Amino acid sequence: MSPASAKALRLDDVGAASKRHEVYGVTRIRVGPLALPFPGNFLFLKYIPPVKRWGPYRELGAAEWERILTALEGARAAMTVGVTAGWVETDGRIVPFPRKFPDAAAVIRRGVERGLLEVANHGYTHCVVDGGRFRPRLFSGNRSEHREFHDWLPAEVHREHIGRAQGILQDFLGSPVVAAGGLRYLSCLDPGRWGAVEGLTVVGDADVVAIHDRDLVLRGLGVLQGLLGGPRGDPFVTVREVGAGLEEAKQ
Ligand SMILES: [Zn+2]
């Protein structure tokens, strides 16, 4: 059992095609005390730094995952990886993560087997697929379409997506998977239905250091090494371990 002070480290958006399709630009530019309107979503502008805000960026590769495992092992730490189980292609087809990125997925599975990684359910699509709403637009950003669990979608859709993601990830790993990341979107779903999904409602932001794969792709693995070597008490643990600790403390 981990000490009560241990925090979880969570890396979100692995396998999420929002990194490809979520494109929007800055719409305000600061000039002294003023925030002036700027047409950052106009055509190509939103693809160019520093106007570009989120995507596109690439998926982490197998060699990077190997280095992540080495860094975790060296720090005697573990990390929860929020995997979006279905990659949404531009035409709307959804490809399971282990099939879309087999090399990275194989290293992740080895990390799980070695106790360095835990895979968490970070949704099925990470975006609204219907009507091609996830696709980049010419004259506006599409940030709001890159949340999966909108409250204007029927609860059945949420349940179906969580269920499909659980199916893909549990088949891939051969073991139960926790749901983490986007917790606030799931909290409306009657979490009791997901009996097998541990820690769904109990692990809050205060107990988790959350980063995105984007941080590592754009800024390098030094971001992770900085966190692992930073001035903290205990090494990072998984979301599941923090959840179990909190549940135990309640009893
Ligand atoms: Zn996400």
Side-chain angles (χ1 to χ4, degrees):
M1 180 51 56
S2 59
S5 59
K7 283 196 182 210
L9 175 60
R10 200 182 76 222
L11 176 71
D12 282 342
D13 290 357
V14 171
S18 291
K19 62 171 61 70
R20 173 75 54 79
H21 306 300
E22 181 176 0
V23 186
Y24 61 99
V26 296
T27 52
R28 293 268 160 186
I29 285 195
R30 197 153 275 289
V31 180
L34 302 175
L36 301 178
F38 180 81
N41 285 316
F42 184 77
L43 293 176
F44 57 88
L45 278 181
K46 54 185 169 295
Y47 289 90
I48 302 174
V51 177
K52 168 181 166 177
R53 292 290 296 278
W54 190 259
Y57 64 93
R58 63 178 176 78
E59 189 69 34
L60 287 167
E64 287 165 307
W65 278 108
E66 296 282 7
R67 288 169 58 203
I68 289 169
L69 297 190
T70 304
L72 290 169
E73 191 164 48
R76 296 173 189 277
M79 182 168 75
T80 296
V81 184
V83 176
T84 298
W87 175 272
V88 181
E89 300 286 6
T90 303
D91 63 7
R93 272 181 310 123
I94 299 171
V95 184
F97 171 73
R99 187 143 31 101
K100 179 72 184 176
F101 300 106
D103 298 344
V107 182
I108 291 171
R109 189 166 53 199
R110 281 206 298 282
V112 171
E113 286 159 6
R114 288 163 61 188
L116 298 169
L117 297 179
E118 165 184 62
V119 167
N121 182 336
H122 195 60
Y124 179 49
T125 61
H126 210 288
C127 64
V128 180
V129 178
D130 277 358
R133 296 174 66 135
F134 63 95
R135 284 189 208 115
R137 300 176 189 152
L138 288 179
F139 300 107
S140 61
N142 64 356
R143 184 180 190 187
S144 65
E145 308 300 343
H146 286 274
R147 275 174 44 194
E148 184 170 353
F149 300 104
H150 290 275
D151 47 18
W152 48 262
L153 285 167
E156 253 138 74
V157 173
H158 296 321
R159 279 194 282 271
E160 187 194 320
H161 278 216
I162 290 291
R164 283 191 186 187
Q166 284 294 99
I168 290 171
L169 296 176
Q170 292 181 172
D171 279 357
F172 165 53
L173 296 167
S175 58
V177 161
V178 295
L183 288 181
R184 55 195 184 280
Y185 308 131
L186 290 174
S187 58
C188 62
L189 280 185
D190 182 12
R193 289 184 64 95
W194 311 106
V197 185
E198 295 163 49
L200 187 60
T201 55
V202 285
V203 182
D205 288 351
D207 295 305
V208 180
V209 174
I211 58 175
H212 291 93
D213 64 350
R214 184 179 190 274
D215 301 316
L216 304 186
V217 169
L218 299 190
R219 290 158 60 205
L221 296 189
V223 172
L224 176 66
Q225 277 143 356
L227 285 171
L228 293 174
R232 317 170 320 274
D234 304 295
F236 288 111
V237 298
T238 61
V239 167
R240 188 192 300 267
E241 284 174 288
V242 171
L246 292 174
E247 270 163 20
E248 197 165 86
K250 262 196 284 184
Q251 285 158 11

